Amino acid sequence: MELIYNSQMPEHKIPFGAVETGTSIEIKIKTTKEDQLHCNLVTYCNEKSHVHSMEIVSEMDYYNIHKVVFEVPEEPCVMFYHIEAVNGWGTLYVGNNPEKLGGESYVYRENPVPFQITVHRKGIQVPEWYKEGIMYQIFVDRFNSAGEDNLYKD
């Protein structure tokens, strides 16, 4: 059984990255035909969950392509999602990798690590200098807890 999804590839998720409220998102997953799977996209945001049924929209060689298009909420939030793959043998879950880095998915028997999408307000203006700048994060607690044993010595 193959369940192929990558949250960073346009053939699986459009658009990439954070989205404005009310934006439509398209999710596709590739599954092996012989497994006769039905797939659902499960989204949850602010303690509300929705199950979106995915349709088989095309077939290629040994694979089915399942697709769903849905709208994100009208309120800003961090939306989480995973995919359920169901057949007569049971349910498998397609989720994020354990490091939560996005990209290639992992298959879970239960409790999948979800992918996430940041949903922000419409019309946010980002200054030009910010778009082209470099940001540094200084973690003061790391300096404070370094101690004498952790200092570099020549």
Side-chain angles (χ1 to χ4, degrees):
M1 178 179 298
E2 288 185 77
L3 301 164
I4 303 167
Y5 177 74
N6 186 319
S7 66
Q8 298 174 354
M9 301 297 289
E11 58 264 25
H12 295 270
K13 180 178 167 284
I14 298 174
F16 176 77
V19 297
E20 291 184 336
T21 54
T23 299
S24 290
I25 295 181
E26 176 183 283
I27 303 277
K28 292 181 184 175
I29 185 170
K30 189 183 334 182
T31 66
T32 45
K33 283 183 189 178
E34 66 185 26
D35 295 313
Q36 300 179 354
L37 293 164
H38 173 75
C39 294
N40 297 308
L41 176 74
V42 181
T43 61
Y44 27 106
C45 184
N46 296 333
E47 299 182 20
K48 294 179 185 174
S49 65
H50 298 281
V51 177
H52 309 271
S53 182
M54 301 179 82
E55 294 181 33
I56 296 173
V57 293
S58 65
E59 298 179 7
M60 15 181 308
D61 300 325
Y62 304 103
Y63 297 103
N64 286 330
I65 307 298
H66 303 256
K67 172 183 163 184
V68 66
V69 177
F70 68 100
E71 274 192 22
V72 299
E74 290 295 331
E75 291 295 319
C77 68
V78 176
M79 186 178 74
F80 297 94
Y81 70 96
H82 67 268
I83 299 169
E84 297 175 337
V86 183
N87 68 9
W89 297 316
T91 303
L92 291 175
Y93 303 92
V94 178
N96 202 346
N97 53 63
E99 295 81 23
K100 301 179 183 178
L101 299 174
E104 283 191 38
S105 61
Y106 272 49
V107 177
Y108 298 86
R109 292 197 182 279
E110 58 186 23
N111 302 321
V113 174
F115 290 99
Q116 74 178 48
I117 300 171
T118 301
V119 180
H120 61 82
R121 285 187 187 86
K122 289 183 180 180
I124 289 179
Q125 298 297 316
V126 178
E128 288 302 315
W129 63 265
Y130 185 80
K131 292 178 185 177
E132 297 178 20
I134 297 173
M135 181 177 289
Y136 294 95
Q137 293 182 320
I138 299 172
F139 296 95
V140 179
D141 64 318
R142 305 311 193 276
F143 292 105
N144 185 36
S145 65
E148 283 294 319
D149 295 339
N150 296 323
L151 294 176
Y152 291 103
K153 298 182 180 173
D154 292 333

